[in-house]
Amino acid sequence: MTPAVRTRHDHESGRRAPTRLRRAVRPLLASLPVAAAVRGSVALALPLLVGVFTGWVIPSVIAAIGALWGVGQDGSDPYRSRVLRFVALGLAAAVGMTAGEAALRSGQSTAVAACLGVTALVAGAFSLRGPVASVAGMHLLLGATIGSGIPVPEPWWQAPLALLAGVGLVLVLSATPWLWRRHHVERAALFAVYRAASDALGAAGTTGAADARRRLTDALDNAQHVMGRYRTPRQHPASDARVDGLLTAFHFAVRLAEPVTTLLWEGRRLPAVVTSVPMLMAVRLLPGRQDGSVPGLPDREDGTVPGRPDLEADSPGLRALAHVYATADGERIDDASLHVAASPRPGRSVHLRYAVLLAGCVLAAQLCAELLHGPRSYWLPMTVAFVYKPDFGPVFRRALHRCVGTVVGVAAIGAVSLPAHSTYASIGEVAFFGALMAVGVRHHYALATTGLTAVVFVLVDLLGDHRSLYGPRILDTALAAAIVLVIHFAVWRDSATSRADIQTEAALAAASRYRDLSPGVTSAERQALRRTAYRQLADARRAAAHARREPVRRDRTQPDREETITTAEQLCDAVTAHSLGTRP
């Protein structure tokens, strides 16, 4: 290699290196919820700073507890869903705290136990009715545990209002961006579908094709959830052009999944001109920036966006992909309103059993608290309320992560608190661990528990309880987790497997309906059948994975649900490919 060629080669390599570095670092930075971490820090530190400046320390700590619970439920879902969740959380927690305070002020331990037992029954009775009801039920019980466990020497109405104010602060911080980026969440969810479709086409003909198709299904499920409150474009006023465009992009995303699935089923590697089609559609239907660029779109060496692809439509999948691409020029979709059937929910007997078991766990934890630490102990029943949430994931794994997070949180706050002795240093610790908790909420329950444990230690210290509780809190967490595991697996060991069986049966029925009805229905009906089948199969796969992570009796063999679900998915893939291949 001559010096001139070597110099040019080094220059080009040096120019490509930052590009490769940016592409490697970008996913890591994108997965870090910086905005949520900032909201967590501000929401927890601001009430405490106000309390220090005004002298209202106790109400500010109660408000910080409400903010702590709000940070634990802060998400990246649509703003309307966040508002509903925060309102339900705040009202339920305030009602629970009022009831707990009344029981505590009576001076009778039996009144406290009765309050917690009744609250647990009510919370468990409607916690399995949906995501918002689940959050409200858990925080109704949490409010009762805090109200009955922490004496507040103020008027009875002050603590619930302070708690509600803390939740309201998180609501304001989380929902305020709606004012200047109203449809950001919907646009991001739709971009994710087109990006997943492009990745799936890139995985065609490889061993990762099935997983890529499942990721596309998950992205479509999320987009359908996000867009669920909107109607078809013709039912919107003509002036609402942004919603009209979002709906058009959503319906094209649904239509795009059909040729993508067919191309995956055909099983051959695809050129870049084909794999770039979904992101080119995203540029046309969902411009993300003023210059029309879209994150995730394959870049050319000159930095320009590829133009219209010249597809050689030599297969049903490619012909269908070319047709969808050719019509994605602003065509209004008036007949593609999809009504996807939801997966079956637990029946009344399941709700009743969970309510009774939750109440039993709470009462057992409260009895242990009375025996070990005397009255007014809240950590044990509070831990039960956090751990015993089978709708949030496997109970065994949740209990394990709770214990691990508590140990790490106790060690972390113990190490950080040694050199810090001022109130402002304590507030700084709350801000740091609040941000850590906000990150953990999105990535790992043990990490979220680490942040929550450390924050609670500081808040309890600000309330005037300066006892060294590091060891007792670890033992209390382990004891509460053991209570939940013993009672749950002694009485309701097969809860996860039963739910997985129900979900799998419903998914197989949806796949059969798609197979039997697909050839003779309209395009919109076929899309609805296909979406229902794939969505329920995805729900069944998650339920099967949940059941696999729970302990089972040695004398019982778990059926291979994942293999059955995979076979049903392959059937749906074949039906999709056949329906495109037989269409004129």
Side-chain angles (χ1 to χ4, degrees):
M1 183 180 294
T2 66
V5 174
R6 184 183 299 109
T7 301
R8 186 169 63 253
H9 179 269
D10 292 343
H11 177 70
E12 292 176 354
S13 298
R15 188 174 57 183
R16 288 195 298 267
T19 302
R20 290 194 296 268
L21 181 62
R22 285 195 301 269
R23 290 177 179 175
V25 172
R26 189 182 299 153
L28 298 176
L29 296 179
S31 65
L32 186 64
V34 177
V38 173
R39 289 197 299 266
S41 294
V42 173
L44 288 169
L46 185 59
L48 300 179
L49 289 173
V50 171
V52 170
F53 288 134
T54 61
W56 296 351
V57 176
I58 292 179
S60 71
V61 172
I62 299 299
I65 292 175
L68 179 69
W69 293 346
V71 170
Q73 295 300 323
D74 190 14
S76 57
D77 49 339
Y79 295 110
R80 182 172 179 267
S81 300
R82 298 186 209 181
V83 171
L84 291 175
R85 185 169 62 253
F86 283 128
V87 169
L89 185 161
L91 292 177
V95 170
M97 174 164 274
T98 302
E101 274 193 304
L104 181 62
R105 292 176 188 274
S106 70
Q108 301 293 325
S109 59
T110 55
V112 172
C115 172
L116 292 177
V118 172
T119 305
L121 280 172
V122 174
F126 64 85
S127 278
L128 302 182
R129 297 182 181 275
V132 175
S134 180
V135 169
M138 182 174 71
H139 288 86
L140 175 69
L141 180 54
L142 288 174
T145 61
I146 294 299
S148 62
I150 299 179
V152 181
E154 301 289 350
W156 66 268
W157 48 266
Q158 193 173 79
L161 284 182
L163 190 76
L164 197 58
V167 178
L169 175 60
V170 181
L171 168 60
V172 170
L173 293 175
S174 182
T176 298
W178 174 85
L179 297 174
W180 61 84
R181 53 176 194 174
R182 184 168 302 181
H183 301 296
H184 170 76
V185 175
E186 291 85 347
R187 187 177 291 107
L190 291 170
F191 272 137
V193 176
Y194 287 100
R195 188 177 300 112
S198 181
D199 293 342
L201 291 176
T206 69
T207 56
D211 290 336
R213 206 272 308 145
R214 292 182 189 120
R215 288 191 293 270
L216 173 59
T217 297
D218 291 340
L220 269 171
D221 290 344
N222 180 60
Q224 187 129 25
H225 169 72
V226 168
M227 299 295 297
R229 72 186 187 92
Y230 298 112
R231 300 178 181 179
T232 57
R234 64 181 175 183
Q235 294 173 303
H236 274 278
S239 60
D240 199 352
R242 288 177 297 182
V243 173
D244 190 69
L246 289 171
L247 283 165
T248 300
F250 168 68
H251 291 302
F252 271 110
V254 173
R255 291 173 57 182
L256 176 64
E258 197 169 37
V260 170
T261 302
T262 301
L263 288 169
L264 292 177
W265 184 82
E266 290 175 0
R268 59 175 177 169
R269 298 302 301 269
L270 300 171
V273 68
V274 175
T275 60
S276 65
V277 167
M279 294 308 296
L280 290 173
M281 291 178 61
V283 171
R284 297 159 67 183
L285 297 170
L286 289 166
R289 302 191 183 112
Q290 293 298 323
D291 60 0
S293 61
V294 179
L297 184 67
D299 297 323
R300 283 185 170 181
E301 292 184 1
D302 58 0
T304 62
V305 176
R308 183 184 183 95
D310 184 16
L311 299 179
E312 296 182 3
D314 59 350
S315 74
L318 286 174
R319 284 193 293 271
L321 182 65
H323 176 72
V324 172
Y325 181 85
T327 56
D329 286 315
E331 172 189 337
R332 294 178 64 88
I333 307 298
D334 293 331
D335 61 345
S337 178
L338 303 182
H339 302 282
V340 177
S343 295
R345 288 186 176 179
R348 291 184 179 180
S349 61
V350 174
H351 288 227
L352 179 60
R353 181 180 292 189
Y354 171 62
V356 172
L357 290 181
L358 179 62
C361 291
V362 168
L363 290 176
Q366 180 64 17
L367 177 61
C368 291
E370 292 283 343
L371 295 176
L372 295 176
H373 305 298
R376 299 174 183 174
S377 182
Y378 59 90
W379 193 273
L380 277 160
M382 182 185 73
T383 302
V384 168
F386 277 120
V387 169
Y388 200 13
K389 293 293 296 176
D391 55 323
F392 281 8
V395 176
F396 180 80
R397 188 175 62 174
R398 191 171 178 84
L400 178 62
H401 290 173
R402 186 79 191 180
C403 293
V404 172
T406 300
V407 172
V408 177
V410 166
I413 194 61
V416 172
S417 298
L418 285 177
H421 301 286
S422 68
T423 301
Y424 292 105
S426 297
I427 295 175
E429 295 168 5
V430 168
F432 172 78
F433 285 107
L436 183 67
M437 177 183 172
V439 174
V441 165
R442 289 159 178 77
H443 289 281
H444 202 282
Y445 182 61
L447 185 62
T449 301
T450 297
L452 183 143
T453 300
V455 170
V456 170
F457 265 85
V458 178
L459 296 182
V460 170
D461 185 72
L462 292 175
L463 284 174
D465 190 349
H466 304 299
R467 293 175 295 172
S468 178
L469 298 174
Y470 299 122
R473 287 311 180 226
I474 294 175
L475 294 177
D476 288 350
T477 301
L479 179 58
I483 289 172
V484 169
L485 293 178
V486 168
I487 293 180
H488 176 72
F489 289 111
V491 180
W492 204 14
R493 181 187 291 265
D494 61 343
S495 61
T497 57
S498 298
R499 179 167 178 77
D501 290 339
I502 293 173
Q503 296 272 49
T504 302
E505 290 176 5
L508 294 179
S512 298
R513 285 194 300 271
Y514 176 48
R515 178 198 61 195
D516 296 337
L517 299 177
S518 179
V521 298
T522 65
S523 175
E525 292 171 333
R526 187 181 67 256
Q527 300 283 6
L529 287 168
R530 181 176 56 80
R531 283 265 54 240
T532 299
Y534 280 115
R535 182 174 184 173
Q536 294 201 6
L537 285 167
D539 289 342
R541 184 176 292 278
R542 284 188 286 270
H546 181 164
R548 191 179 64 251
R549 296 188 184 104
E550 297 281 30
V552 295
R553 291 191 297 267
R554 293 183 178 180
D555 59 344
R556 180 170 180 175
T557 303
Q558 285 275 25
D560 192 353
R561 301 183 186 88
E562 283 90 345
E563 181 64 28
T564 302
I565 294 168
T566 299
T567 302
E569 289 174 341
Q570 293 171 349
L571 169 65
C572 292
D573 293 347
V575 171
T576 300
H578 177 73
S579 65
L580 288 185
T582 56
R583 277 162 49 189

